[in-house]
Amino acid sequence: KVCRGAQLQAARSADLMNLWLELEMQMGDANLALDKRRRMFETVPKDRVNGSAYLRMLLGNQDFATAKNVIEKIDAEGWGDQINPLKALWWASQGKDAEARKIFDDLLKAAKPEDQIRIGPHVAFARAMADLNAVKLAMGVLQDARPLQSKESMEIDREIGDIYFSRGMYKESM
């Protein structure tokens, strides 16, 4: 109710608008939030926060055809490398983890040889997937990177624990 009452303020603040729409999606009128995000995306497709949120909402509703159109529009807007996690999420949302994983594997193959043996690309992709709730896919990428981690700092093991813990999956985080 507070955020709905502050809609005029939300219109002037992108952060408040995104907070309001996130709350509407989770605890209020999800259709209102979806419609507002759609209209915002049509008006300003370069808004990465709104575009990503709109895409996640479409995928949550299993509207894969519209989500594919949104991805194509985002790609045309020049989001650069940020498009790849969204494409992977599109596949993962349909239960096609192999296709989602292929996006990462292709990116890794195209990287410089020295970057292929570093954990950075694995961690970045896994975090992006986890942030988009594709935790299973994130864990697969991190498991494959375990041999690359330092024995002293165990970065991958810590990342796995952090992702599980931040999602309340305490047993898995141990």
Side-chain angles (χ1 to χ4, degrees), residues 131-148:
D131 288 347
L132 297 169
N133 293 319
V135 176
K136 180 180 171 188
L137 182 58
M139 289 302 119
V141 168
L142 290 173
Q143 291 293 342
D144 289 350
R146 270 189 159 154
L148 304 175

Side-chain angles (χ1 to χ4, degrees), residues 4 20-21 23-36 57:
R4 282 188 188 152
W20 168 54
L21 292 174
L23 289 171
E24 282 291 355
M25 179 62 193
Q26 292 178 14
M27 296 181 268
D29 186 344
N31 290 327
L32 171 74
L34 181 64
D35 184 58
K36 182 68 174 168
M57 291 174 79

Side-chain angles (χ1 to χ4, degrees), residues 117-119 145-158:
I117 59 169
R118 293 179 45 243
I119 64 166
R146 270 189 159 154
L148 304 175
Q149 72 183 336
S150 158
K151 302 295 182 225
E152 293 78 32
S153 58
M154 306 295 282
E155 306 96 327
I156 297 296
D157 290 342
R158 288 194 336 247

Side-chain angles (χ1 to χ4, degrees), residues 64-81:
F64 302 119
T66 304
K68 181 71 169 173
N69 291 335
V70 167
I71 288 171
E72 289 168 359
K73 176 91 172 180
I74 287 171
D75 206 7
E77 288 295 324
W79 282 30
D81 289 341

Side-chain angles (χ1 to χ4, degrees), residues 23-119:
L23 289 171
E24 282 291 355
M25 179 62 193
Q26 292 178 14
M27 296 181 268
D29 186 344
N31 290 327
L32 171 74
L34 181 64
D35 184 58
K36 182 68 174 168
R37 290 236 184 249
R38 178 191 53 77
R39 286 185 281 130
M40 288 170 55
F41 180 76
E42 289 170 353
T43 305
V44 187
K46 291 185 183 219
D47 180 343
R48 294 174 187 216
V49 173
N50 181 65
S52 296
Y54 178 47
L55 180 66
R56 285 193 314 273
M57 291 174 79
L58 291 169
L59 293 173
N61 290 342
Q62 297 185 348
D63 187 351
F64 302 119
T66 304
K68 181 71 169 173
N69 291 335
V70 167
I71 288 171
E72 289 168 359
K73 176 91 172 180
I74 287 171
D75 206 7
E77 288 295 324
W79 282 30
D81 289 341
Q82 289 186 347
I83 191 68
N84 294 313
L86 299 177
K87 288 178 179 178
L89 181 63
W90 184 79
W91 285 112
S93 296
Q94 298 172 74
K96 298 179 179 180
D97 285 354
E99 288 87 344
R101 178 61 191 262
K102 184 178 180 327
I103 290 171
F104 171 72
D105 292 340
D106 289 348
L107 288 170
L108 195 60
K109 285 177 193 169
K112 298 177 206 167
E114 61 269 19
D115 288 339
Q116 292 178 10
I117 59 169
R118 293 179 45 243
I119 64 166

